[in-house]
Structure formats: C-alpha cells, structure tokens
PDB file of all heavy atoms in Angstrom:
ATOM      1  N   ILE A   1       0.824  -1.220  -0.001  1.00  0.00           N
ATOM      2  CA  ILE A   1      -0.038   0.033   0.033  1.00  0.00           C
ATOM      3  C   ILE A   1       0.875   1.233  -0.017  1.00  0.00           C
ATOM      4  O   ILE A   1       0.307   2.387   0.325  1.00  0.00           O
ATOM      5  CB  ILE A   1      -0.973  -0.032   1.196  1.00  0.00           C
ATOM      6  CG1 ILE A   1      -0.264  -0.030   2.533  1.00  0.00           C
ATOM      7  CG2 ILE A   1      -1.964  -1.155   1.108  1.00  0.00           C
ATOM      8  CD1 ILE A   1      -1.159   0.159   3.745  1.00  0.00           C
ATOM      9  N   ALA A   2       2.123   1.186  -0.324  1.00  0.00           N
ATOM     10  CA  ALA A   2       2.978   2.342  -0.282  1.00  0.00           C
ATOM     11  C   ALA A   2       2.541   3.454  -1.187  1.00  0.00           C
ATOM     12  O   ALA A   2       2.841   4.637  -0.898  1.00  0.00           O
ATOM     13  CB  ALA A   2       4.410   1.872  -0.704  1.00  0.00           C
ATOM     14  N   HIS A   3       1.783   3.117  -2.248  1.00  0.00           N
ATOM     15  CA  HIS A   3       1.289   4.092  -3.187  1.00  0.00           C
ATOM     16  C   HIS A   3       0.027   4.841  -2.762  1.00  0.00           C
ATOM     17  O   HIS A   3      -0.383   5.790  -3.366  1.00  0.00           O
ATOM     18  CB  HIS A   3       1.044   3.497  -4.524  1.00  0.00           C
ATOM     19  CG  HIS A   3      -0.002   2.430  -4.512  1.00  0.00           C
ATOM     20  ND1 HIS A   3       0.174   1.180  -3.853  1.00  0.00           N
ATOM     21  CD2 HIS A   3      -1.277   2.342  -4.951  1.00  0.00           C
ATOM     22  CE1 HIS A   3      -0.891   0.468  -4.013  1.00  0.00           C
ATOM     23  NE2 HIS A   3      -1.812   1.167  -4.642  1.00  0.00           N
ATOM     24  N   ILE A   4      -0.627   4.264  -1.668  1.00  0.00           N
ATOM     25  CA  ILE A   4      -1.944   4.751  -1.306  1.00  0.00           C
ATOM     26  C   ILE A   4      -1.701   5.983  -0.339  1.00  0.00           C
ATOM     27  O   ILE A   4      -0.997   5.921   0.637  1.00  0.00           O
ATOM     28  CB  ILE A   4      -2.745   3.702  -0.580  1.00  0.00           C
ATOM     29  CG1 ILE A   4      -3.055   2.545  -1.608  1.00  0.00           C
ATOM     30  CG2 ILE A   4      -4.054   4.276  -0.042  1.00  0.00           C
ATOM     31  CD1 ILE A   4      -3.783   1.396  -1.023  1.00  0.00           C
ATOM     32  N   PRO A   5      -2.398   7.127  -0.622  1.00  0.00           N
ATOM     33  CA  PRO A   5      -2.281   8.277   0.326  1.00  0.00           C
ATOM     34  C   PRO A   5      -3.051   8.013   1.626  1.00  0.00           C
ATOM     35  O   PRO A   5      -4.041   7.295   1.614  1.00  0.00           O
ATOM     36  CB  PRO A   5      -2.896   9.452  -0.474  1.00  0.00           C
ATOM     37  CG  PRO A   5      -3.874   8.826  -1.413  1.00  0.00           C
ATOM     38  CD  PRO A   5      -3.243   7.442  -1.758  1.00  0.00           C
ATOM     39  N   ALA A   6      -2.474   8.610   2.665  1.00  0.00           N
ATOM     40  CA  ALA A   6      -3.117   8.412   4.011  1.00  0.00           C
ATOM     41  C   ALA A   6      -3.028   9.646   4.944  1.00  0.00           C
ATOM     42  O   ALA A   6      -2.007  10.387   4.785  1.00  0.00           O
ATOM     43  CB  ALA A   6      -2.486   7.198   4.711  1.00  0.00           C
ATOM     44  N   GLU A   7      -4.024   9.851   5.717  1.00  0.00           N
ATOM     45  CA  GLU A   7      -4.001  10.889   6.763  1.00  0.00           C
ATOM     46  C   GLU A   7      -4.109  10.091   8.076  1.00  0.00           C
ATOM     47  O   GLU A   7      -5.047   9.270   8.242  1.00  0.00           O
ATOM     48  CB  GLU A   7      -5.227  11.796   6.549  1.00  0.00           C
ATOM     49  CG  GLU A   7      -5.207  12.631   5.378  1.00  0.00           C
ATOM     50  CD  GLU A   7      -4.455  13.880   5.451  1.00  0.00           C
ATOM     51  OE1 GLU A   7      -4.001  14.254   6.573  1.00  0.00           O
ATOM     52  OE2 GLU A   7      -4.257  14.583   4.465  1.00  0.00           O
ATOM     53  N   VAL A   8      -3.174  10.364   8.983  1.00  0.00           N
ATOM     54  CA  VAL A   8      -3.120   9.663  10.275  1.00  0.00           C
ATOM     55  C   VAL A   8      -3.302  10.744  11.361  1.00  0.00           C
ATOM     56  O   VAL A   8      -2.518  11.691  11.379  1.00  0.00           O
ATOM     57  CB  VAL A   8      -1.811   8.908  10.465  1.00  0.00           C
ATOM     58  CG1 VAL A   8      -1.805   8.226  11.888  1.00  0.00           C
ATOM     59  CG2 VAL A   8      -1.713   7.862   9.371  1.00  0.00           C
ATOM     60  N   VAL A   9      -4.325  10.577  12.155  1.00  0.00           N
ATOM     61  CA  VAL A   9      -4.578  11.591  13.275  1.00  0.00           C
ATOM     62  C   VAL A   9      -4.348  10.850  14.583  1.00  0.00           C
ATOM     63  O   VAL A   9      -4.921   9.761  14.841  1.00  0.00           O
ATOM     64  CB  VAL A   9      -6.057  12.088  13.180  1.00  0.00           C
ATOM     65  CG1 VAL A   9      -6.424  12.945  14.396  1.00  0.00           C
ATOM     66  CG2 VAL A   9      -6.314  12.834  11.834  1.00  0.00           C
ATOM     67  N   GLN A  10      -3.602  11.451  15.448  1.00  0.00           N
ATOM     68  CA  GLN A  10      -3.165  10.800  16.724  1.00  0.00           C
ATOM     69  C   GLN A  10      -3.204  11.784  17.845  1.00  0.00           C
ATOM     70  O   GLN A  10      -2.630  12.880  17.797  1.00  0.00           O
ATOM     71  CB  GLN A  10      -1.680  10.239  16.596  1.00  0.00           C
ATOM     72  CG  GLN A  10      -1.235   9.536  17.807  1.00  0.00           C
ATOM     73  CD  GLN A  10      -1.939   8.220  18.080  1.00  0.00           C
ATOM     74  OE1 GLN A  10      -2.211   7.463  17.190  1.00  0.00           O
ATOM     75  NE2 GLN A  10      -2.111   7.890  19.352  1.00  0.00           N
ATOM     76  N   GLY A  11      -3.968  11.453  18.906  1.00  0.00           N
ATOM     77  CA  GLY A  11      -3.958  12.207  20.134  1.00  0.00           C
ATOM     78  C   GLY A  11      -2.559  12.045  20.853  1.00  0.00           C
ATOM     79  O   GLY A  11      -2.124  10.918  21.047  1.00  0.00           O
ATOM     80  N   ARG A  12      -1.991  13.091  21.190  1.00  0.00           N
ATOM     81  CA  ARG A  12      -0.685  13.075  21.838  1.00  0.00           C
ATOM     82  C   ARG A  12      -0.750  12.221  23.138  1.00  0.00           C
ATOM     83  O   ARG A  12       0.234  11.468  23.428  1.00  0.00           O
ATOM     84  CB  ARG A  12      -0.204  14.460  22.254  1.00  0.00           C
ATOM     85  CG  ARG A  12       1.065  14.520  23.111  1.00  0.00           C
ATOM     86  CD  ARG A  12       2.321  14.046  22.358  1.00  0.00           C
ATOM     87  NE  ARG A  12       2.684  15.104  21.348  1.00  0.00           N
ATOM     88  CZ  ARG A  12       3.698  14.876  20.427  1.00  0.00           C
ATOM     89  NH1 ARG A  12       4.314  13.744  20.464  1.00  0.00           N
ATOM     90  NH2 ARG A  12       4.036  15.816  19.626  1.00  0.00           N
ATOM     91  N   TYR A  13      -1.828  12.307  23.916  1.00  0.00           N
ATOM     92  CA  TYR A  13      -1.943  11.660  25.137  1.00  0.00           C
ATOM     93  C   TYR A  13      -2.955  10.430  25.060  1.00  0.00           C
ATOM     94  O   TYR A  13      -3.594  10.144  26.013  1.00  0.00           O
ATOM     95  CB  TYR A  13      -2.372  12.644  26.265  1.00  0.00           C
ATOM     96  CG  TYR A  13      -1.354  13.682  26.413  1.00  0.00           C
ATOM     97  CD1 TYR A  13      -1.524  15.064  25.915  1.00  0.00           C
ATOM     98  CD2 TYR A  13      -0.047  13.452  26.992  1.00  0.00           C
ATOM     99  CE1 TYR A  13      -0.637  15.984  26.026  1.00  0.00           C
ATOM    100  CE2 TYR A  13       0.844  14.432  27.047  1.00  0.00           C
ATOM    101  CZ  TYR A  13       0.602  15.673  26.644  1.00  0.00           C
ATOM    102  OH  TYR A  13       1.573  16.675  26.729  1.00  0.00           O
ATOM    103  N   ASP A  14      -2.991   9.822  23.934  1.00  0.00           N
ATOM    104  CA  ASP A  14      -3.735   8.607  23.702  1.00  0.00           C
ATOM    105  C   ASP A  14      -3.027   7.489  24.571  1.00  0.00           C
ATOM    106  O   ASP A  14      -1.965   7.042  24.259  1.00  0.00           O
ATOM    107  CB  ASP A  14      -3.835   8.244  22.237  1.00  0.00           C
ATOM    108  CG  ASP A  14      -4.643   7.047  21.888  1.00  0.00           C
ATOM    109  OD1 ASP A  14      -4.926   6.197  22.822  1.00  0.00           O
ATOM    110  OD2 ASP A  14      -5.045   6.886  20.724  1.00  0.00           O
ATOM    111  N   MET A  15      -3.761   7.013  25.576  1.00  0.00           N
ATOM    112  CA  MET A  15      -3.164   6.003  26.409  1.00  0.00           C
ATOM    113  C   MET A  15      -3.654   4.610  26.025  1.00  0.00           C
ATOM    114  O   MET A  15      -3.036   3.594  26.424  1.00  0.00           O
ATOM    115  CB  MET A  15      -3.687   6.260  27.910  1.00  0.00           C
ATOM    116  CG  MET A  15      -2.985   7.514  28.549  1.00  0.00           C
ATOM    117  SD  MET A  15      -1.136   7.318  28.692  1.00  0.00           S
ATOM    118  CE  MET A  15      -0.659   8.336  27.448  1.00  0.00           C
ATOM    119  N   VAL A  16      -4.809   4.481  25.262  1.00  0.00           N
ATOM    120  CA  VAL A  16      -5.276   3.167  24.831  1.00  0.00           C
ATOM    121  C   VAL A  16      -4.344   2.682  23.656  1.00  0.00           C
ATOM    122  O   VAL A  16      -3.935   1.539  23.602  1.00  0.00           O
ATOM    123  CB  VAL A  16      -6.677   3.231  24.419  1.00  0.00           C
ATOM    124  CG1 VAL A  16      -7.161   1.872  23.795  1.00  0.00           C
ATOM    125  CG2 VAL A  16      -7.614   3.582  25.596  1.00  0.00           C
ATOM    126  N   CYS A  17      -3.996   3.536  22.810  1.00  0.00           N
ATOM    127  CA  CYS A  17      -3.138   3.305  21.548  1.00  0.00           C
ATOM    128  C   CYS A  17      -2.078   4.387  21.566  1.00  0.00           C
ATOM    129  O   CYS A  17      -2.264   5.369  20.869  1.00  0.00           O
ATOM    130  CB  CYS A  17      -3.943   3.229  20.240  1.00  0.00           C
ATOM    131  SG  CYS A  17      -5.132   1.911  20.211  1.00  0.00           S
ATOM    132  N   PRO A  18      -1.000   4.273  22.334  1.00  0.00           N
ATOM    133  CA  PRO A  18      -0.033   5.286  22.462  1.00  0.00           C
ATOM    134  C   PRO A  18       0.606   5.800  21.110  1.00  0.00           C
ATOM    135  O   PRO A  18       0.677   4.990  20.160  1.00  0.00           O
ATOM    136  CB  PRO A  18       1.051   4.769  23.383  1.00  0.00           C
ATOM    137  CG  PRO A  18       0.288   3.759  24.213  1.00  0.00           C
ATOM    138  CD  PRO A  18      -0.670   3.141  23.264  1.00  0.00           C
ATOM    139  N   ALA A  19       1.005   7.034  21.087  1.00  0.00           N
ATOM    140  CA  ALA A  19       1.409   7.679  19.812  1.00  0.00           C
ATOM    141  C   ALA A  19       2.595   6.952  19.114  1.00  0.00           C
ATOM    142  O   ALA A  19       2.749   7.068  17.938  1.00  0.00           O
ATOM    143  CB  ALA A  19       1.804   9.128  20.147  1.00  0.00           C
ATOM    144  N   GLU A  20       3.365   6.269  19.873  1.00  0.00           N
ATOM    145  CA  GLU A  20       4.586   5.533  19.234  1.00  0.00           C
ATOM    146  C   GLU A  20       4.070   4.718  18.088  1.00  0.00           C
ATOM    147  O   GLU A  20       4.849   4.635  17.004  1.00  0.00           O
ATOM    148  CB  GLU A  20       5.160   4.668  20.313  1.00  0.00           C
ATOM    149  CG  GLU A  20       6.333   3.841  19.761  1.00  0.00           C
ATOM    150  CD  GLU A  20       6.894   2.872  20.794  1.00  0.00           C
ATOM    151  OE1 GLU A  20       6.195   2.567  21.837  1.00  0.00           O
ATOM    152  OE2 GLU A  20       8.066   2.427  20.632  1.00  0.00           O
ATOM    153  N   THR A  21       2.950   4.066  18.158  1.00  0.00           N
ATOM    154  CA  THR A  21       2.523   3.225  17.058  1.00  0.00           C
ATOM    155  C   THR A  21       2.209   3.955  15.870  1.00  0.00           C
ATOM    156  O   THR A  21       2.509   3.519  14.703  1.00  0.00           O
ATOM    157  CB  THR A  21       1.226   2.408  17.567  1.00  0.00           C
ATOM    158  OG1 THR A  21       1.525   1.660  18.763  1.00  0.00           O
ATOM    159  CG2 THR A  21       0.768   1.452  16.511  1.00  0.00           C
ATOM    160  N   ALA A  22       1.553   5.133  15.966  1.00  0.00           N
ATOM    161  CA  ALA A  22       1.235   5.991  14.773  1.00  0.00           C
ATOM    162  C   ALA A  22       2.542   6.399  14.120  1.00  0.00           C
ATOM    163  O   ALA A  22       2.663   6.404  12.914  1.00  0.00           O
ATOM    164  CB  ALA A  22       0.472   7.175  15.196  1.00  0.00           C
ATOM    165  N   PHE A  23       3.569   6.744  14.934  1.00  0.00           N
ATOM    166  CA  PHE A  23       4.874   7.190  14.379  1.00  0.00           C
ATOM    167  C   PHE A  23       5.538   6.027  13.615  1.00  0.00           C
ATOM    168  O   PHE A  23       6.095   6.180  12.604  1.00  0.00           O
ATOM    169  CB  PHE A  23       5.761   7.710  15.439  1.00  0.00           C
ATOM    170  CG  PHE A  23       5.496   9.170  15.797  1.00  0.00           C
ATOM    171  CD1 PHE A  23       4.429   9.482  16.647  1.00  0.00           C
ATOM    172  CD2 PHE A  23       6.273  10.194  15.283  1.00  0.00           C
ATOM    173  CE1 PHE A  23       4.139  10.855  16.991  1.00  0.00           C
ATOM    174  CE2 PHE A  23       6.014  11.520  15.609  1.00  0.00           C
ATOM    175  CZ  PHE A  23       4.967  11.826  16.452  1.00  0.00           C
ATOM    176  N   ASP A  24       5.461   4.825  14.198  1.00  0.00           N
ATOM    177  CA  ASP A  24       6.020   3.605  13.553  1.00  0.00           C
ATOM    178  C   ASP A  24       5.304   3.384  12.143  1.00  0.00           C
ATOM    179  O   ASP A  24       5.983   3.055  11.176  1.00  0.00           O
ATOM    180  CB  ASP A  24       5.783   2.413  14.438  1.00  0.00           C
ATOM    181  CG  ASP A  24       6.660   2.365  15.591  1.00  0.00           C
ATOM    182  OD1 ASP A  24       7.597   3.209  15.680  1.00  0.00           O
ATOM    183  OD2 ASP A  24       6.456   1.595  16.524  1.00  0.00           O
ATOM    184  N   LEU A  25       3.992   3.531  12.117  1.00  0.00           N
ATOM    185  CA  LEU A  25       3.275   3.386  10.894  1.00  0.00           C
ATOM    186  C   LEU A  25       3.670   4.360   9.845  1.00  0.00           C
ATOM    187  O   LEU A  25       3.964   4.026   8.692  1.00  0.00           O
ATOM    188  CB  LEU A  25       1.730   3.408  11.156  1.00  0.00           C
ATOM    189  CG  LEU A  25       0.848   3.272   9.879  1.00  0.00           C
ATOM    190  CD1 LEU A  25       1.041   1.963   9.224  1.00  0.00           C
ATOM    191  CD2 LEU A  25      -0.635   3.592  10.258  1.00  0.00           C
ATOM    192  N   VAL A  26       3.655   5.615  10.195  1.00  0.00           N
ATOM    193  CA  VAL A  26       3.985   6.711   9.218  1.00  0.00           C
ATOM    194  C   VAL A  26       5.436   6.550   8.728  1.00  0.00           C
ATOM    195  O   VAL A  26       5.703   6.827   7.584  1.00  0.00           O
ATOM    196  CB  VAL A  26       3.751   8.074   9.880  1.00  0.00           C
ATOM    197  CG1 VAL A  26       4.335   9.209   9.044  1.00  0.00           C
ATOM    198  CG2 VAL A  26       2.283   8.283  10.137  1.00  0.00           C
ATOM    199  N   ALA A  27       6.344   6.068   9.595  1.00  0.00           N
ATOM    200  CA  ALA A  27       7.710   5.904   9.141  1.00  0.00           C
ATOM    201  C   ALA A  27       7.824   4.800   8.058  1.00  0.00           C
ATOM    202  O   ALA A  27       8.781   4.840   7.221  1.00  0.00           O
ATOM    203  CB  ALA A  27       8.591   5.503  10.393  1.00  0.00           C
TER     204      ALA A  27
END
C-alpha cells in the first residue's frame, strides 16, 4: 500500500493506543 495516500490523526496523550504506534506506521 506504499502508493496509497493516508491521513493519520493521533492524540498526543492517547493511552489506549499510544502515539509511538502511529509514528511507527507513518515511518
């Protein structure tokens, strides 16, 4: 899916799904 555009929205203080995971995905 490298060619598919995406918008990722992440709460800084999301404790259920901490922000580290969103950063890993976007990287």
Side-chain angles (χ1 to χ4, degrees):
I1 60 172
H3 62 288
I4 295 175
E7 296 273 353
V8 178
V9 174
Q10 180 69 38
R12 172 69 72 186
Y13 300 105
D14 185 339
M15 291 295 108
V16 176
C17 296
E20 177 185 20
T21 303
F23 278 80
D24 289 346
L25 176 64
V26 171

